[in-house]
Amino acid sequence: MKRRINIGLLYSRSGSYSLIADACRMGVLTAVAEVNGDQALDLTFVLTERDPGGNIDLYGPMCEEILHDGGARHVFGCVTSWSRKEVIPVLERAGGTLWYNQPYEGFEASDHVVYSHACPNQHLLPLLGWTFGRFGRRGYLTGSNYIWGWEMNRLARELIADAGGETLGERYLPIGSTEVDRMIDEIRATRPDFILNNLIGASQYRFLNAYAELGRQDKHFSPDRCPILSCNLTECELHAVGPVAEGLVAAGPYFRDAPGPAGVGRFGSSHEAAGYAAVWRLARLLAGRPGAENVPLSELLASTAAAETGIDPKTHHTVLPVLIAQAEGGSFRVVKDCGSVAGDPYLTRGRELALPAPHLRVVP
């Protein structure tokens, strides 16, 4: 008879980032169904789900409900770094683990979190390295006004300066705000070589529309001369953005049309792929080990089974493919495959950028 193991789901199915949450949730549910139907495994996952509805004040209490009322010790959830940091104290008190399936800003390694998506050495560093040699090193930085935007832009400023470039402007919007006119005016005035976009949700969609209009007015702001860069925009939001995403350059571990271990087109986006992979990693850690679902994460990762999951037992980050892709015709086309890279959240192995040979452009 299979062991029944309670796990939690904590995603907001409404609000500014609901499309990302739905993609992660889909990946988790698909994997849970597969695990539960696998007769070779001695376990079955039973879900307890809570929906904070985009309300940051509900993440902590709802995580506590999952851990105490639902009897779970492993929770799959959270989209923003703000919400992740809200639940970590709850996890610490209860001895629980969050499986976090989003790209994030790095500089964190909690004993109670597994980071299943990319951190800066797996997205921002390769993306800027690719960009500097093709477009230039003068950037304009945008972001939503919380930790993802602040930290990504802080690191970007340092990387630009280290490469001899210049940050021409930096502007933030409250989550959900669509007041992008001042950003666009500053971009028009400073004429950067690229824009690093760390906005999320509706703010990002409005900004991309406004920037596309600027490009129609002035060819300098076309994607082939001054592209928008992103470390978090994936296919799950392309339909919401529409054709104005054309030419956007993104970094991530998975794109739908790229070949990979999971096969072409298996998942709708890297968010879905990360959620799916996280569930299977947990299943492999627990399989054949009755009671393992109740032990601390550090003990789980000290097992022989942990080596096969690709999770670093010290940082709890994962080895991931690093791909750079450009939006083209409603999907992403990979323009560079950097191979598999281990997550290095504190950049202990350095922050050098792999700069390509200068790319000469004909400017009429």
Side-chain angles (χ1 to χ4, degrees):
M1 184 174 179
K2 288 194 171 192
R3 300 146 52 204
R4 290 170 60 85
I5 298 174
N6 295 323
I7 62 173
L9 266 180
L10 187 64
Y11 288 115
S12 288
R13 306 200 65 198
S14 58
S16 294
Y17 38 86
S18 59
L19 294 176
I20 298 173
D22 282 342
C24 289
R25 182 176 179 273
M26 177 63 70
V28 170
L29 293 178
T30 300
V32 166
E34 289 184 8
V35 167
N36 290 353
D38 191 332
Q39 296 306 308
L41 295 175
D42 66 338
L43 56 86
T44 296
F45 286 140
V46 180
L47 287 171
T48 297
E49 183 169 10
R50 295 291 184 272
D51 178 0
N55 184 342
I56 192 64
D57 294 328
L58 294 180
Y59 277 89
M62 286 188 171
C63 183
E64 192 160 9
E65 288 178 13
I66 290 171
L67 296 172
H68 290 283
D69 300 344
R73 282 295 171 266
H74 294 270
V75 180
F76 297 80
C78 299
V79 169
T80 66
S81 289
W82 190 1
S83 59
R84 184 186 72 251
K85 290 182 182 293
E86 286 290 312
V87 304
I88 288 176
V90 178
L91 296 162
E92 290 173 343
R93 290 193 296 270
T97 295
L98 174 70
W99 293 76
Y100 185 67
N101 307 312
Q102 305 298 324
Y104 90 114
E105 65 283 345
F107 299 93
E108 181 179 294
S110 169
D111 286 338
H112 296 271
V113 182
V114 175
Y115 305 83
S116 296
H117 210 297
C119 61
N121 77 302
Q122 297 166 313
H123 53 53
L124 183 62
L125 271 67
L127 181 59
L128 288 181
W130 183 87
T131 301
F132 286 168
R134 288 166 175 79
F135 297 96
R137 306 181 186 194
R138 301 164 63 255
Y140 185 94
L141 314 180
T142 74
S144 290
N145 195 24
Y146 77 112
I147 189 169
W148 162 260
W150 304 333
E151 287 298 297
M152 288 289 286
N153 286 341
R154 176 192 62 78
L155 182 55
R157 287 195 308 272
E158 294 175 4
L159 295 170
I160 290 168
D162 290 347
E166 184 180 2
T167 299
L168 302 178
E170 184 174 347
R171 183 71 55 186
Y172 296 88
L173 291 178
I175 293 175
S177 172
T178 57
E179 297 180 3
V180 302
D181 291 349
R182 187 171 182 183
M183 286 180 174
I184 294 297
D185 288 344
E186 289 181 350
I187 290 168
R188 180 189 288 112
T190 56
R191 304 182 74 79
D193 298 321
F194 65 88
I195 293 98
L196 179 62
N197 166 36
N198 288 308
L199 296 163
I200 66 168
S203 304
Q204 176 168 224
Y205 309 155
R206 177 68 190 108
F207 176 74
L208 292 174
N209 273 279
Y211 187 74
E213 177 57 33
L214 179 60
R216 287 188 282 270
Q217 299 169 9
D218 185 334
K219 289 184 179 179
H220 173 80
F221 301 104
S222 60
D224 60 335
R225 300 173 90 179
C226 182
I228 291 178
L229 313 180
S230 176
C231 294
N232 66 341
L233 183 69
T234 72
E235 290 93 342
C236 71
E237 295 184 281
L238 276 184
H239 71 278
V241 177
V244 297
E246 194 78 3
L248 179 143
V249 181
Y254 173 90
F255 292 97
R256 190 169 51 221
D257 294 333
V264 177
R266 173 75 195 276
F267 305 106
S269 68
S270 65
H271 299 294
E272 184 180 339
Y276 175 92
V279 171
W280 269 106
R281 286 186 175 112
L282 177 60
R284 293 186 181 102
L285 287 170
L286 301 181
R289 300 179 62 196
E293 60 272 20
N294 297 316
V295 306
L297 178 61
S298 58
E299 186 175 331
L300 273 183
L301 296 182
S303 69
T304 54
E308 301 175 3
T309 66
I311 304 171
D312 186 322
K314 293 182 179 179
T315 70
H316 303 167
H317 289 65
T318 50
V319 177
L320 295 170
V322 173
L323 305 172
I324 299 171
Q326 191 160 27
E328 187 177 279
S331 62
F332 280 105
R333 175 179 59 87
V334 173
V335 296
K336 183 175 177 59
D337 184 341
C338 304
S340 293
V341 176
D344 182 19
Y346 292 98
L347 301 179
T348 60
R349 294 187 288 273
R351 56 177 65 192
E352 292 77 15
L353 303 179
L355 298 173
H359 180 73
L360 300 180
R361 292 176 290 158
V362 177
V363 179

